[in-house]
Amino acid sequence: MFCFQCQEAAGGEGCTVVGSCGKTARTAALQDALMHVARGVAIYADPIQHQPSAFDSIQSAVHAWLRLALFTTITNANFEDEAIEARIRSGLDLRVDLQKRCKDEQLNVPLAASHAATWNPCGSLEIFPDIQAEIGVKPTWNSDESSLSELLTYGLKGLSAYLHHAAELGWTDSSLNAFLVRALVATINPHDDVSTLTALVMEAGENGVKAMALLDSANTGRYGHPEQTQVSIGVGLRPGILVSGHDLADLEALLVQSEDAGIDIYTHCEMLPAHSYPGFKKYRHLYGNYGNAWWQQHKEFTSFRGPILFTTNCIVPPPKHASYADKVFTTGATGFPGYRYIDRGPDGEKDFSELIAMAQCSEPPVPLESGTITCGFAHNQVAELATPILEAIESGAVKRFVVMAGCDGRHAQRDYYRNFAEKLSNDTVILTAGCAKYRYNKLDLGFIETPGGNTIPRILDAGQCNDSYSLALTALTLKDALGLDDINSLPIEYNIAWYEQKAVIVLLALLYLGVKDIQLGPTLPAFLSSGVTSLLVEQFGIHGIPTPVKVVA
Ligand code: SF4
Ligand code: SF3
């Protein structure tokens, strides 16, 4: 195997025997095969989408399949070989349908002879590792063209995840789906040069902004605008279900089905922001947030004692004999061997009754912490605080903002982010989103008092990683309010922590918006060639974090 798509790529170069994430060589091969089939599907979908009849049922099936397929290959989403195999087979079926349609309509398919367009495992999926050299990332990937192609591929995976969430709430955008198809084809086009690929990477950033805006509209359209909210991090007396991942629609369905069941629902990791939406506040059994970022799940799932639902990444393979292993359920793009998968039924709904019944027989969670944390500072809430924030800037009470969005990870070097947050001066406000926040969101950094008698928390948590869109809107609002021409003239620094591929699309979105001098860590992506790194440094001023001991004083 060879995989280097995330920040924990072995040795900072790539996983070759088994993933640092726990992915086996066979799972890695199957994920590569799924990406290969996705490219084959895109090869035939691309000519069709230029036809007047493009947006019909087959196209919407193709878009849904592509979104789910790419999401399935995101780090820590799916370790279940059978589920990945099933997606490969349904993708091959789709490719046949599309191929027939192209033939019937006499459409020119430029890459029809390529391996991705013709590859067929003919029933046996056992030999996948043998063909991975042909369909996977080559260990000799380091030309600038290959590096840009990988950067684009990982951005598209992140884009697909956000489009999938929006679609689950009924929001789709044909131009974003069309871009996904076109850009996937570009990742295999042998004729693309550095400038063409660089332009596509920037276009991915532009579409990343649009996808996050779409998801924001879907979330706020369904659940209202997030508002400043205190969330309990303690536990109640009743047993509970712990919900992890990012999919708000799954959380809503579970809350509806578990009302009056005598149990509580707790959010885990990236599900924390749900508490700030009016549409979720109405559920009295949505008790609080339990635990921390994804990588601490062994300890926290053990003490939770009730069933756990993964709606999306990040799954950590459980140790042997983990007490919670038979209590974990997955849904959507996620999967893990031995964890039960909840699919949609014939009526299109997900049935969570098994989880609910299991929770009713469980012990209540063991408390890990007590007190509350504050969330809900998405763009609408921040806009309502615009007057005190501007007053604080003008008076000098707030001298700068630091955007600390992104992902957390298990490496000890990420303590850098806690140290960084702790040592920021009292006139600095942290704008955060994503699970990176768990490194510092329980620190008592206090408030800033404005001359008008208002208080501003020193950590403003906008929500999930996709709510980085809110942070960008906040920056643009401040730029306009302060009468500045350039987003880079604001007193805002960007210290982004990345881990998986959704952080890649967030980064590309920030670059598209013109943000310069982003500090990216804790290490730069292994898939950046020296030429692409130079391009990012020279054109955008991207740089790594200082060594963890050299934090801001
Ligand atoms: Fe390694 Fe990350 Fe790939 Fe897992 S996803 S195999 S940790 S590079
Ligand atoms: Fe975290 Fe997995 Fe990326 Fe949505 S939950 S930010 S790592």
Side-chain angles (χ1 to χ4, degrees), residues 104-135:
D104 291 349
E105 296 187 20
Q106 298 182 323
L107 300 177
N108 178 34
V109 183
L111 290 172
S114 68
H115 193 271
T118 56
W119 177 68
N120 194 334
C122 298
S124 171
L125 299 170
E126 290 308 314
I127 55 160
F128 271 179
D130 297 338
I131 60 149
Q132 198 186 17
E134 182 127 31
I135 61 175

Side-chain angles (χ1 to χ4, degrees), residues 152-176:
L152 179 58
T153 298
Y154 304 142
L156 294 179
K157 290 187 180 193
L159 183 78
S160 296
Y162 293 155
L163 293 180
H164 173 84
H165 287 305
E168 288 293 281
L169 291 169
W171 290 65
T172 57
D173 179 309
S174 53
S175 70
L176 289 169

Side-chain angles (χ1 to χ4, degrees), residues 7-14 523-527:
Q7 193 271 326
E8 294 187 358
E13 293 186 351
T523 53
L524 293 181
F527 52 82

Side-chain angles (χ1 to χ4, degrees), residues 3 37 68 99 199 218 232 309 319 327 332 347 382 418 431 454 458 506 530 532:
C3 179
V37 174
L68 188 65
Q99 202 169 2
S232 168
L309 174 65
K327 293 183 188 160
D347 59 355
V382 174
R418 186 189 342 265
L431 304 173
N454 293 297
R458 286 199 50 230
V506 169
S530 55
V532 175

